[in-house]
């Protein structure tokens, strides 16, 4: 039976990779004069920014991945000096990267691309060029703050206040300028990448984040906001406005998610007496160490008494599938790729484990550290 479940899991996860993806891209990156040991390539599918593993023997890189955004992006860093960002404009794209030390001003460059657009290029991107000009004074001020007071930015209240105000001025100029170009995906991406990146320096200001969320909802078109990428942005802003902090003896917020078979997972008023939620990842050592304890709980309590749901925040389904099979995790699984569900609950690290009663009340909560199996047993048996 257990083997059968794991075989089904593999089939379903292969299927779900197709279902979850809104689209799919294939990209070939050709390298000329490039030392791969000095090259770092990030691929952003809309919800996860992933570092690509590079085979040193090949003169090209092939990417074949599902995406959850209108335009996925590539970030390329070379020799810790040069940084380039690109939109992938088609499901079949080619990026050509060159390094020529004879070109003194631009030894690292790109040309002859197919369906690839440079993002932060002041020569070709008029919106970005004019926006940089609008922000010039404040950007210099921000750079001076980091240069002169870098070590005090998180500890000195007056410096923090000046930093927050400078960030707000820069972002206000960005939002005002981008509004007429809201239907251009660059504006949406700039909001995600630059505006929210700077906003992370503003601490404990729910009103500010409320204003950002209102701008986001009222400015950008549905075709951007309704993607998984768009929904993640809204969820992150909402978490900044009203952070969720899970505690024992409180009701878990109303959440909706699905198992790998796309079946809805019911938590409140469920037929089982208890539900164990295990937030984990295949790369997390402490998560793997507690699997035997969870396995023992599965053996001790019938499924009508205890439902076990493991929620992985793995970046890719392959690592997730392999780990489930290897450790014989014979219970319900959900893949929270991009940490959309975890973020909405304020879960920022794994392992995190919650035991809920049939009414959705948290009767046991543990973030990190060793699982208290004896206490979990006692709670279940006292019911």
């Amino acid at each position: 039976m257990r083997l059968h479940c794991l075989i089904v899991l593999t089939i379903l996860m292969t299927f779900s990779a197709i279902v979850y993806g809104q689209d799919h891209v294939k990209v070939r990156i050709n390298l000329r004069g490039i030392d791969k040991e000095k090259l770092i390539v990030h691929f952003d599918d809309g919800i996860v920014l992933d570092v690509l593993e590079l085979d040193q023997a090949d003169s090209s890189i092939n990417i074949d991945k599902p995406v959850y955004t209108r335009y996925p992006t590539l970030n390329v860093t070379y020799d810790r000096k040069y940084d380039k960002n690109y939109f992938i404009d088609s499901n079949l794209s080619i990026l050509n990267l060159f390094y020529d030390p004879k070109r003194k001003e631009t030894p690292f460059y790109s040309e002859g691309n197919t369906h690839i657009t440079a993002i932060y290029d002041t020569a070709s991107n008029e919106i970005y060029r004019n926006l940089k000009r609008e922000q010039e004074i404040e950007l210099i001020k921000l750079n001076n703050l980091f240069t002169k007071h870098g070590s005090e930015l998180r500890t000195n209240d007056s410096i923090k206040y000046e930093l927050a105000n400078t960030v707000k001025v820069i972002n206000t100029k960005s939002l005002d300028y981008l509004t007429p170009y809201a239907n251009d995906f660059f504006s949406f991406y700039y909001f995600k990448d630059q505006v929210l990146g700077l906003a992370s320096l503003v601490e404990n200001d729910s009103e500010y984040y409320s204003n950002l969320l209102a701008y986001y909802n009222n400015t950008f078109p549905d075709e951007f906001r309704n993607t998984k990428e768009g929904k993640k942005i809204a969820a992150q802003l909402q978490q900044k406005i009203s952070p969720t902090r899970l505690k024992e003896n409180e009701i878990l917020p109303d959440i909706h998610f699905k198992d790998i078979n796309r079946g809805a997972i019911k938590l409140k008023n469920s037929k089982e007496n208890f539900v164990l939620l295990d937030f984990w990842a295949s790369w997390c050592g402490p998560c793997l160490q507690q699997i035997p304890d969870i396995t023992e709980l599965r053996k001790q309590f019938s499924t009508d008494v205890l439902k076990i749901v493991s929620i992985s925040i793995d970046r890719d389904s392959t690592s997730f599938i392999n780990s489930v099979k290897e450790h014989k995790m014979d219970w319900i699984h959900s893949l929270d790729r991009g940490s959309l569900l975890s973020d909405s609950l304020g879960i920022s690290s794994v392992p995190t484990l919650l035991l809920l009663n049939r009414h959705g009340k948290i009767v046991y909560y543990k973030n990190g550290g060793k699982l208290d199996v004896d206490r979990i047993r006692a709670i279940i048996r006292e019911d």
Side-chain angles (χ1 to χ4, degrees):
M1 178 64 181
R2 179 171 296 172
L3 177 62
H4 172 73
C5 290
L6 293 177
I7 292 173
V8 171
L9 170 66
T10 303
I11 296 172
L12 291 176
M13 283 308 301
T14 302
F15 171 75
S16 68
I18 300 171
V19 173
Y20 291 169
Q22 294 175 235
D23 208 338
H24 208 92
V25 294
K26 292 183 178 180
V27 186
R28 183 179 180 88
I29 305 176
N30 296 317
L31 308 175
R32 300 290 183 269
I34 300 291
D35 182 351
K36 277 192 175 180
E37 292 187 357
K38 298 179 181 179
L39 182 68
I40 300 174
V41 181
H42 288 89
F43 176 78
D44 186 350
D45 66 7
I47 60 174
V48 172
L49 182 65
D50 207 1
V51 181
L52 301 182
E53 294 185 8
L54 308 181
D55 187 337
Q56 297 300 319
D58 293 338
S59 61
S60 63
I61 303 167
N62 292 298
I63 303 170
D64 186 352
K65 292 179 177 289
V67 295
Y68 308 87
T69 175
R70 182 74 177 272
Y71 295 104
T73 63
L74 288 171
N75 170 260
V76 182
T77 304
Y78 189 66
D79 200 20
R80 299 184 180 181
K81 299 176 185 177
Y82 311 103
D83 189 75
K84 296 182 179 295
N85 298 273
Y86 302 96
F87 285 133
I88 301 170
D89 302 333
S90 169
N91 59 352
L92 293 173
S93 303
I94 299 174
L95 173 64
N96 300 306
L97 297 175
F98 302 84
Y99 182 77
D100 182 357
K102 295 178 181 179
R103 295 169 52 122
K104 298 300 182 183
E105 293 186 6
T106 57
F108 182 61
Y109 64 102
S110 173
E111 64 181 21
N113 302 317
T114 303
H115 301 306
I116 293 285
T117 301
I119 300 176
Y120 298 124
D121 181 4
T122 54
S124 61
N125 188 335
E126 183 180 1
I127 299 176
Y128 180 61
R129 180 172 63 248
N130 293 335
L131 180 56
K132 290 285 286 185
R133 190 179 299 124
E134 290 275 334
Q135 300 171 333
E136 186 174 358
I137 295 174
E138 287 76 19
L139 288 174
I140 292 173
K141 183 177 179 180
L142 182 66
N143 183 66
N144 289 338
L145 277 172
F146 275 95
T147 302
K148 296 179 181 179
H149 306 287
S151 60
E152 302 176 85
L153 291 176
R154 296 295 185 183
T155 57
N156 186 311
D157 287 343
S158 62
I159 299 299
K160 287 167 64 176
Y161 179 79
E162 186 177 359
L163 174 66
N165 282 342
T166 303
V167 165
K168 289 179 181 179
V169 172
I170 294 173
N171 278 349
T172 296
K173 285 192 171 185
S174 295
L175 300 183
D176 289 344
Y177 183 82
L178 293 174
T179 299
Y181 307 101
N183 290 324
D184 189 309
F185 187 80
F186 170 79
S187 299
F188 177 83
Y189 179 79
Y190 191 92
F191 180 89
K192 167 190 171 179
D193 188 50
Q194 298 292 318
V195 172
L196 296 188
L198 282 179
S200 65
L201 299 172
V202 180
E203 300 177 351
N204 303 320
D205 193 336
S206 59
E207 181 180 359
Y208 177 63
Y209 283 101
S210 294
N211 291 336
L212 287 179
L213 181 58
Y215 176 93
Y216 176 75
N217 287 329
N218 295 329
T219 305
F220 296 112
D222 291 346
E223 64 181 293
F224 299 160
R225 292 187 295 106
N226 287 340
T227 60
K228 274 198 172 183
E229 176 182 44
K231 291 176 181 178
K232 181 174 182 178
I233 292 171
Q236 289 173 329
L237 285 169
Q238 189 59 54
Q239 182 65 16
K240 289 285 189 179
I241 296 167
S242 52
T244 300
R245 294 183 176 88
L246 301 178
K247 298 178 182 178
E248 288 186 11
N249 298 316
E250 293 189 358
I251 299 295
L252 185 76
D254 194 18
I255 56 175
H256 303 277
F257 64 109
K258 299 180 183 297
D259 61 24
I260 56 172
N261 195 26
R262 306 297 291 161
I265 297 177
K266 189 175 183 180
L267 299 179
K268 294 182 179 179
N269 301 313
S270 62
K271 63 181 181 179
E272 297 85 8
N273 291 357
F274 294 92
V275 179
L276 191 70
L277 295 183
D278 166 40
F279 289 85
W280 73 295
S282 65
W283 45 259
C284 166
C287 299
L288 301 181
Q289 290 172 10
Q290 72 179 15
I291 290 175
D293 290 332
I294 299 175
T295 301
E296 193 61 30
L297 289 171
R298 175 69 293 148
K299 292 177 181 178
Q300 291 177 356
F301 298 100
S302 62
T303 54
D304 61 333
V305 173
L306 177 66
K307 176 163 66 178
I308 299 177
V309 182
S310 283
I311 303 165
S312 169
I313 62 169
D314 274 288
R315 293 186 174 191
D316 67 272
S317 59
T318 302
S319 298
F320 166 55
I321 292 169
N322 291 340
S323 192
V324 169
K325 292 169 64 178
E326 178 184 354
H327 298 285
K328 298 179 173 60
M329 301 167 69
D330 188 17
W331 49 81
I332 300 170
H333 291 275
S334 180
L335 180 59
D336 184 25
R337 193 172 183 280
S339 303
L340 300 177
L341 176 63
S342 306
D343 288 347
S344 71
L345 294 174
I347 296 174
S348 58
S349 63
V350 290
T352 293
L353 191 139
L354 299 84
L355 182 66
L356 312 175
N357 66 15
R358 65 168 58 88
H359 304 298
K361 181 180 179 181
I362 302 172
V363 292
Y364 175 86
Y365 174 82
K366 183 68 174 178
N367 173 240
K370 184 171 174 55
L371 196 63
D372 191 343
V373 182
D374 290 338
R375 185 178 169 210
I376 293 175
R377 288 195 193 99
I379 293 172
I380 296 174
R381 286 169 176 163
E382 285 176 3
D383 183 65

